[in-house]
Amino acid sequence: MHSDARRTARRHWAEILDCRPESIFGSTTTVAEWTRNGVEILCWEGGAVVGAPPALFEALRENVDRIPFDIGREGAQTLVEPVAAVDDVLGPQFVGYCDETAFDPVDREVQQIEPRRLDWLRDACPDGEWERSGLSVDADVPTFAVLRVDRPIAAVQYGVVDGVAKLAVASHPAHRGEGHAKATVSAATAHALDRGYLVEYRTVERWTGSVALAEGLGFERVARSLLVELK
């Protein structure tokens, strides 16, 4: 990934975690104060940033030392439990980025459609899966789909924050493993790169097929993230 792309990713995460950009992808572990009700852990080889709500900031700053890159759910819970009651740990997530130097697109027919046409795909997704995907039938954002009989069987949207195009992906349960999700991600990535954006792909690491999809298109694993939800 080009150095300019890495700087864009650094600024983006600095805004999310309310810390100095120099803290992101550095060689130390930093605890930053943020306003959300949870503890966000972003880690990479050699360093990490922990976003902590104000009530926990001082306690975590005094107790957090080096966070290993392979920290998992249990490790994140162990980190936070001495200072707060933990409800759940989400992740770890693959955090990958793609710029024009790494992109390896696939050639398959994908159409840009109106978001409202995704209602059929939404209704076909299992309970909770649509919400986790991040897709919306009401969003005014670029939307791409593979269509079959004029119905979307895989779709991607992206919104832009701090120059980063953040992808949201879903596919029909009956049509998974056929390459449609990869095709729509490829189309959305190409569209975003053409407009000068860095493209972000985040997915739960245990969904190995989703991680392989991203890496097959040229997304570089830059970091991993976990969110510790508090009671």
Side-chain angles (χ1 to χ4, degrees):
M1 188 168 67
H2 195 274
S3 58
D4 288 344
R6 186 169 290 270
R7 281 193 291 270
T8 298
R10 178 182 290 119
R11 289 194 300 268
H12 175 56
W13 276 102
E15 287 290 330
I16 293 174
L17 293 168
D18 197 17
C19 64
R20 294 181 299 107
E22 294 78 14
S23 300
I24 307 295
F25 309 142
S27 58
T28 60
T29 295
T30 301
V31 179
E33 184 176 320
W34 71 338
T35 57
R36 303 184 192 183
N37 182 32
V39 176
E40 176 84 16
I41 302 170
L42 179 75
C43 54
W44 53 89
E45 291 287 356
V49 171
V50 178
L56 305 182
F57 173 70
E58 290 296 341
L60 281 173
R61 189 172 64 172
E62 291 175 2
N63 290 287
V64 169
D65 192 8
R66 180 181 177 274
I67 296 178
F69 180 68
D70 61 354
I71 186 173
R73 290 166 56 89
E74 290 184 5
Q77 183 167 339
T78 300
L79 180 74
V80 176
E81 273 186 334
V83 299
V86 174
D87 184 40
D88 197 7
V89 180
L90 307 182
Q93 280 196 331
F94 167 96
V95 180
Y97 291 96
C98 186
D99 64 10
E100 67 281 356
T101 68
F103 184 40
D104 186 14
V106 299
D107 184 15
R108 185 179 294 195
E109 184 177 358
V110 177
Q111 296 187 35
Q112 187 168 357
I113 65 171
E114 293 295 322
R116 57 184 173 77
R117 294 181 63 187
L118 296 179
D119 56 355
W120 182 81
L121 178 60
R122 176 197 60 197
D123 295 343
C125 287
D127 290 345
E129 189 173 292
W130 179 261
E131 288 74 18
R132 291 193 298 271
S133 76
L135 291 165
S136 172
V137 298
D138 301 316
D140 183 19
V141 294
T143 303
F144 303 85
V146 171
L147 302 179
R148 182 164 295 179
V149 196
D150 208 36
R151 289 177 170 175
I153 57 175
V156 173
Q157 293 176 328
Y158 74 81
V160 179
V161 181
D162 304 321
V164 176
K166 304 167 74 70
L167 300 181
V169 188
S171 60
H172 192 288
H175 295 283
R176 292 174 183 169
E178 300 174 359
H180 305 308
K182 186 174 184 178
T184 54
V185 171
S186 178
T189 300
H191 188 272
L193 290 176
D194 284 346
R195 283 149 184 79
Y197 303 128
L198 176 65
V199 187
E200 178 185 274
Y201 189 100
R202 295 178 66 179
T203 187
V204 178
E205 287 186 356
R206 69 175 181 272
W207 297 343
T208 55
S210 184
V211 173
L213 181 160
E215 293 180 333
L217 290 171
F219 283 83
E220 177 186 345
R221 180 195 294 269
V222 171
R224 63 204 307 255
S225 67
L226 301 99
L227 177 63
V228 182
E229 296 185 323
L230 306 177
K231 292 183 180 179

